[in-house]
Amino acid sequence: MTKDPLSASLFEMRLEEIHREHPWLKYDISQADFVALFFPLNYKNGVPIRPDQPPTFPLERNIYLSVLVAFKQSFN
């Protein structure tokens, strides 16, 4: 895999969807800040690296797992 702007946009859209699915998140973090937790993406040898749990804003386990699923769906 190489850097694919379409996949990155798809991942961003899925992050926005996750933020909308959990309405209480809007009281803790804005949608733009939520997306910014995982961007810019890190690449190793042209392959995107799975995002880690953000140290500045710890997410609940189910939300973080949703992010990982969105990542996997976007970049596979």
Side-chain angles (χ1 to χ4, degrees), residues 37 52-58:
L37 288 175
D52 290 330
Q53 177 79 275
T56 57
F57 189 81

Side-chain angles (χ1 to χ4, degrees), residues 46-62:
V47 177
I49 299 173
R50 179 179 62 95
D52 290 330
Q53 177 79 275
T56 57
F57 189 81
L59 296 171
E60 288 184 5
R61 183 176 184 274
N62 63 339

